Amino acid sequence: MRASLAVTALAVLVAALAAVPWLVSDYGLGFITNLMCYVVLTVAWALFSGTTRYVSLATAAFFGLGAYTVAMLIKEVPIYATFGAALVLGTLVAALVGLATLRISGMFFVIFGFGLSELARELLVWWEINRTHTMGRYVFVSFDTTMIYEHLLGLAVLVFLVGWLLRRTRLGVALLVIGDDETMARQAGVNVPLAKVTMFVVSSVFMTIVGAVMAPRFGYLTPNIAFNPMISFQVVIMALLGGMQRLWGPLLGVIPLIVLSELLQIRFPFWYSVFLGLVFMVIVYFLPRGVTGLVEDGWELLRRLSLRARLLRRQPSGAR
Amino acid sequence: MSLIEVVLGGVITGGLYALIAIGFNLQYGVARIFNLAYGEFLMAAAFAAFWMFTLGEIDPILGLALSVPVNFGANWLVYRVLMLPLVRRARTRDDLEGDTILATFGLLFLLKGAAQLAFTPDNRFYNYLNVPMQIIGFTFAANRVLAFSVACAVGLAIWLFLTRTRFGAAMRALAIDPTGARLVGVDATAMSALAFAGGGALVAVAGTLVSTFLTFNPAIGVEFTMKALVVVMMGGVGNMVGSLVAGVLLGVAESLCSYFIDSGLTLAVAYFLFLIVLLVRPRGLFGTP
């Protein structure tokens, strides 16, 4: 009964979100599209990094890979074919990166992710200048912001579903154990490298597809726009600010930071950088479990207080 | 330009990379702090040299007398105030690495944003010893040769410090076995703070040298942090001689790449080398597998 109620409520919520494009202005639509883009990226990031606790800085690389695949193929094939190509490429690259870096230790993985988008950008700039003699590509298709938004909403539903299912499978449990103690996981018979690489691929493919879907939104793409390292940093900070113990935790980080970046990033980009730095430090020193942790602590406190109040009321004062 | 000149040019750049990597290695190998804001201190030293030169006409090499102690002190404070609480609360080394990555990430953004606000994001350059110089028949820019010589001198000093002094021995012990070092009476906290600050002093030297021959802006830090990381991983964590060899190797590889292929691909070269080491010798060139 409770489960079916929850499913109905979620279905209503998704339907309401799907109707948003017809209710808001163009500016509002742009804003909520951006929001939805980061929701998918952040939840996808948390799928892998939240469980294994490996800080992945490769988000921008996969986002850019998806976006640029679409930009390069859009003149030759229909748009869904370009999405398909992005899916295949994303899977291949994620598997290669995962196999090369995740076998050994967490540190290599962090460093590799750190520079992967820069590497991709550099190689692509070189390729475009020397081989194709283009710099920047136009993405003109009949795929407007409403379509982009609806696709992102679909991806959001999918990524939440994957996350929800993951918590009920052997793979999900295995990843949680790896996050807790990798040696113990190995002792318990978990195939550690396989579990890590699988999850990394799933998470990265989501990011690639988000990049692909977002490509028409830019209209004009250069390697510098597609592989913007800021995307990686923002995703990490959003997920950590929200907290990752709950599937919905990252949402609590995405919303405030998107609002702030909307207010600051264009007009005061340097203040935005300073501010991001401060948020990072606040999380590390004061909010290790993110806003979710804060909410849970508050909830627990309320529950205990109300419980105590009820107990006190039940005991008549004369009985003491 | 002959091939020998290209290689020698690479060695000169590589010497600087080695210096940068040795500083990072002191912070990561000895103090166990993964400092992603490392390059930001290089950027700060470069700006210090720039302002001293353009406003006060102070020779960058003399300016080291000011920027090195300041950076040493600043890094010592960073360790004592920001890193030590994380060291104390960490249960395992993995915990500590996760926390320090995030905290120094915050520091990176903070310092970069502050520098952009204070100095504007413009590119800066000044002319210092920008004259050709003949060495055994080959021509080099004098500022690069000076940078290489200073890097060598500082590198030698560090090597003597690490191998000939009690402090140096304590630091090497910490790098190899932190628990064992504590057992024989090494004050791990004080030594780590010293090593961290020493890394900061080295990167101040490197930043000053970089500013004499490269154009720079407040955003250059990340690139140098990344190169330092790659070199340290190639040479082995805690292995200073390894960093030296790997740094020179990276410089030569970059130089060859820009001669034969394209100068825009230097980061790709660093990554390519890193990947090879990762796949073939995951513990670094000199690590025991």
Side-chain angles (χ1 to χ4, degrees):
Chain A
M1 190 59 208
R2 250 188 98 178
S4 70
L5 202 68
V7 170
T8 319
L10 281 175
V12 171
L13 179 69
V14 170
L17 283 172
V20 163
W22 289 275
L23 304 173
V24 295
S25 64
D26 277 357
Y27 174 79
L29 182 59
F31 175 78
I32 196 154
T33 302
N34 196 18
L35 187 83
M36 200 49 86
C37 164
Y38 273 97
V39 166
V40 183
L41 287 176
T42 310
V43 177
W45 186 88
L47 277 186
F48 174 75
S49 297
T51 44
T52 57
R53 304 206 189 169
Y54 281 23
V55 177
S56 165
L57 297 173
T59 312
F62 289 103
F63 182 90
L65 181 71
Y68 227 77
T69 309
V70 172
M72 285 177 112
L73 294 177
I74 197 75
K75 280 189 187 141
E76 275 83 33
V77 292
I79 188 152
Y80 285 101
T82 64
F83 291 173
L87 181 88
V88 174
L89 260 176
T91 313
L92 281 177
V93 173
L96 279 177
V97 171
L99 285 173
T101 56
L102 284 170
R103 282 181 315 140
I104 308 153
S105 89
M107 222 57 245
F108 284 108
F109 174 74
V110 176
I111 299 164
F112 201 78
F114 193 32
L116 192 61
S117 69
E118 286 296 299
L119 174 73
R121 191 178 56 78
E122 208 178 85
L123 285 174
L124 204 58
V125 167
W126 177 74
W127 175 263
E128 294 277 66
I129 289 175
N130 291 294
R131 291 292 182 274
T132 58
H133 305 286
T134 51
M135 193 63 197
R137 288 165 179 272
Y138 289 95
V139 187
F140 285 149
V141 278
S142 54
F143 198 77
D144 61 3
T145 313
T146 307
M147 284 292 272
I148 294 171
Y149 172 77
E150 299 295 350
H151 278 76
L152 288 172
L153 181 63
L155 282 171
V157 171
L158 204 61
V159 80
F160 272 112
L161 199 65
V162 168
W164 186 79
L165 286 173
L166 191 69
R167 289 174 185 229
R168 280 152 190 80
T169 57
R170 290 168 62 92
L171 179 63
V173 178
L175 287 166
L176 280 175
V177 180
I178 293 172
D180 244 16
D181 188 336
E182 207 169 311
T183 322
M184 202 172 80
R186 214 169 276 133
Q187 295 287 329
V190 174
N191 187 340
V192 173
L194 183 73
K196 282 194 290 195
V197 173
T198 309
M199 209 54 237
F200 182 64
V201 170
V202 171
S203 151
S204 307
V205 164
F206 268 110
M207 295 166 180
T208 317
I209 298 294
V210 171
V213 172
M214 284 294 277
R217 174 119 180 87
F218 291 103
Y220 174 76
L221 269 174
T222 65
N224 293 337
I225 300 174
F227 293 91
N228 176 4
M230 221 39 195
I231 298 172
S232 306
F233 305 141
Q234 284 185 341
V235 164
V236 175
I237 200 167
M238 284 169 184
L240 293 171
L241 180 65
M244 292 177 295
Q245 303 83 22
R246 303 286 162 128
L247 201 55
W248 45 264
L251 286 181
L252 299 181
V254 173
I255 295 166
L257 276 167
I258 286 288
V259 172
L260 261 161
S261 94
E262 195 73 19
L263 292 176
L264 285 177
Q265 202 174 6
I266 306 297
R267 267 182 298 167
F268 312 103
F270 309 137
W271 281 112
Y272 184 63
S273 171
V274 170
F275 182 80
L276 270 191
L278 286 175
V279 174
F280 256 111
M281 298 182 111
V282 166
I283 294 170
V284 175
Y285 291 100
F286 305 109
L287 283 178
R289 280 159 55 224
V291 177
T292 320
L294 214 63
V295 171
E296 280 178 349
D297 288 350
W299 183 249
E300 184 63 28
L301 194 74
L302 272 179
R303 213 175 55 86
R304 236 183 264 161
L305 281 178
S306 77
L307 198 69
R308 188 178 297 169
R310 241 184 299 161
L311 279 177
L312 279 178
R313 233 179 295 139
R314 220 175 277 165
Q315 283 178 341
S317 50
R320 265 187 221 156
Chain B
M1 207 153 76
S2 71
L3 194 59
I4 302 175
E5 239 168 342
V6 173
V7 172
L8 287 178
V11 172
I12 287 179
T13 321
L16 199 66
Y17 288 160
L19 185 68
I20 297 172
I22 288 171
F24 189 86
N25 214 346
L26 278 176
Q27 296 194 334
Y28 184 49
V30 178
R32 312 270 166 191
I33 302 294
F34 197 83
N35 184 6
L36 284 178
Y38 185 66
E40 278 19 73
F41 289 96
L42 183 143
M43 175 268 291
F47 269 97
F50 172 78
W51 291 120
M52 282 194 275
F53 188 80
T54 45
L55 297 181
E57 291 182 5
I58 298 168
D59 188 291
I61 303 300
L62 283 179
L64 285 176
L66 181 69
S67 66
V68 167
V70 169
N71 241 2
F72 184 90
N75 275 272
W76 189 81
L77 275 177
V78 166
Y79 186 83
R80 297 296 304 202
V81 178
L82 291 177
M83 297 303 141
L84 206 53
L86 301 180
V87 175
R88 296 232 158 99
R89 87 172 187 210
R91 283 180 302 137
T92 62
R93 189 156 175 212
D94 281 348
D95 275 2
L96 180 63
E97 268 174 3
D99 273 353
T100 49
I101 285 173
L102 296 175
T104 54
F105 233 130
L107 200 59
L108 185 166
F109 280 111
L110 201 66
L111 293 175
K112 192 175 87 176
Q116 283 166 330
L117 284 172
F119 307 138
T120 74
D122 299 345
N123 280 319
R124 306 283 183 168
F125 185 76
Y126 62 91
N127 262 311
Y128 175 72
L129 283 182
N130 200 4
V131 288
M133 193 173 162
Q134 294 277 331
I135 299 174
I136 47 166
F138 301 110
T139 316
F140 298 105
N143 47 24
R144 283 188 180 248
V145 176
L146 178 74
F148 181 69
S149 325
V150 175
C152 284
V154 174
L156 186 70
I158 286 289
W159 185 73
L160 287 175
F161 171 78
L162 284 174
T163 50
R164 300 292 157 87
T165 65
R166 281 181 69 85
F167 283 134
M171 281 183 193
R172 281 183 298 136
L174 266 179
I176 294 163
D177 184 351
T179 321
R182 268 187 208 97
L183 283 177
V184 295
V186 173
D187 183 348
T189 307
M191 280 303 131
S192 296
L194 203 61
F196 194 86
L202 284 190
V203 86
V205 177
T208 305
L209 296 177
V210 163
S211 77
T212 61
F213 63 87
L214 278 186
T215 308
F216 59 94
N217 60 52
I220 55 159
V222 172
E223 185 190 331
F224 285 98
T225 309
M226 224 134 70
K227 283 183 179 163
L229 279 169
V230 167
V231 171
V232 167
M233 288 296 167
M234 271 166 60
V237 176
N239 186 337
M240 303 299 159
V241 181
S243 290
L244 180 71
V245 176
V248 172
L249 204 66
L250 178 65
V252 172
E254 275 188 10
S255 183
L256 287 175
C257 169
S258 54
Y259 182 67
F260 285 112
I261 309 170
D262 195 305
S263 61
L265 286 177
T266 54
L267 197 69
V269 171
Y271 257 66
F272 186 64
L273 278 180
F274 181 57
L275 250 191
I276 293 177
V277 172
L278 194 77
L279 294 174
V280 183
R281 293 192 71 92
R283 284 177 171 271
L285 292 173
F286 308 100
T288 40

